[in-house]
Amino acid sequence: MKKVVIIIGIVAVAIIALGITFSMEIERYNYQTSLFSGAAQAENFTRQNDFYPINEMQPADHPSALPVGDPFTLPSSFTFQEQTFNTTEFLDKTDTGALLVLHRGKLRYATYALPAGEDVAWLTHSISKTLVATAVGLAYQQGFINSLDDPIDHYVPMLSTSGYAGVSIRDVLQMSSGIRWNEDYSDPESDLNQFGITIFTGASYDEFVSTLVSEREPGTYNSYTGMDSQALTMLVRAVTEMSLSDYLSANVWQPLGMQDRAFWTTDKNGVELGLGGLSATARDLAKIGELYRNQGVWQGQQILNSDWIVQSTTATAPHLTRGENPNSKHTMGYGFQWWLPAGDEQDYAAIGIYNQFIYVNPKHATVIVKLSAYRDYANTSVPDPYLETETFSMFREIAAKVSERP
């Protein structure tokens, strides 16, 4: 009997030890399998460092807060396709963790819902792509890249045997690489969900990108491809000889006086998930919106060339234009990893899944950040439940109202 008790004790200790050893993997599995299931995600979006290894970006040496303007009250409702939505109910429905409204650079409105907070880093998903493109723009203006029309594999030899061989950096920035890619969240066989296995195991992101093949001629069709952003992450690392995190820390987080720690989830090799692994606070993300709204100028200093801003936020080819387009999968246009909503407002946005946005409306001198965990996002393969076009109607109503003179 004593021997049995000892054996049971040894087994129990072994199980506990295994649980401790693989605790991150267990947490990661529980998290990844809960995505797009209707499960609440707000807590998960604030603790990505419990699920994955990370690279950090520390607050600036001289952090600066956003200037505060006169308080602003959100419009009580907005209209989308002749239907009226209650603003508060819509924000609640989309599980909004943070909403910030800036007008002419001043913070006019801010609200947070737990577990979000003004100093809480929140997973931004595909808003990350816009930061990757910003890093490419900085590398270009610093002379690390000779031309945006250069083939990306000229700088990243690992891609020379993939579908990216001969594809220009410009076409990759504009999601027009021609790479075959299925980003259907509800299809377990989609390329995106296959990449999810790579994310779970921590296997090499670079190696996954290098296996992709071409589907159509580059520069002719706009098709949202997460791997384009991951290929750009490879480009930044190759030309700067720095990690994406370190490069953005030095060239964005420091000069913009970011107040808070941010971080990127990585694979086992320390390579950042450029397509969607950035966690940051809403107030620091608002500074990215302001940088673009002000044509790359921050507090009188030209951080990013104005020409880059224009190209980033403008449809520069027919397949990238706003609205219905036979050469695009989307009704929104596309720039350099910025979305261009349909209509004549000339606004633009970085968008992350689960209803997250950095929205910029130059006409009304407005920037809006919305961090969310909309639990019903992508429950089906039909995009209507995403509520993105409805959200743009709300943003446009807010921008129009906040810019009105008293």
Side-chain angles (χ1 to χ4, degrees), residues 266-322:
T266 74
D267 65 12
K268 289 180 179 177
N269 300 316
V271 171
E272 293 90 351
L273 184 64
L275 64 85
L278 172 68
S279 291
T281 62
R283 61 187 181 184
D284 282 344
L285 293 170
K287 292 181 178 181
I288 301 299
E290 276 295 298
L291 179 68
Y292 275 78
R293 186 185 72 81
N294 287 303
Q295 297 297 297
V297 175
W298 181 259
Q299 296 182 347
Q301 181 183 359
Q302 190 80 46
I303 304 297
L304 197 54
N305 288 344
S306 59
D307 180 63
W308 180 266
I309 304 296
V310 172
Q311 292 189 70
S312 295
T313 59
T314 305
T316 60
H319 64 284
L320 302 171
T321 56
R322 303 171 189 253

Side-chain angles (χ1 to χ4, degrees), residues 65-84:
L66 292 165
V68 178
D70 294 334
F72 167 71
T73 301
L74 295 180
S76 60
S77 63
F78 64 94
T79 302
F80 173 74
Q81 293 183 348
E82 300 182 353
Q83 181 180 354
T84 300

Side-chain angles (χ1 to χ4, degrees), residues 40-75:
Q41 296 293 348
E43 289 283 352
N44 289 333
F45 289 176
T46 63
R47 51 188 293 262
Q48 291 291 295
N49 52 328
D50 290 338
F51 309 145
Y52 306 98
I54 61 169
N55 287 345
E56 296 191 50
M57 299 192 296
Q58 297 298 326
D61 295 338
H62 303 287
S64 60
L66 292 165
V68 178
D70 294 334
F72 167 71
T73 301
L74 295 180

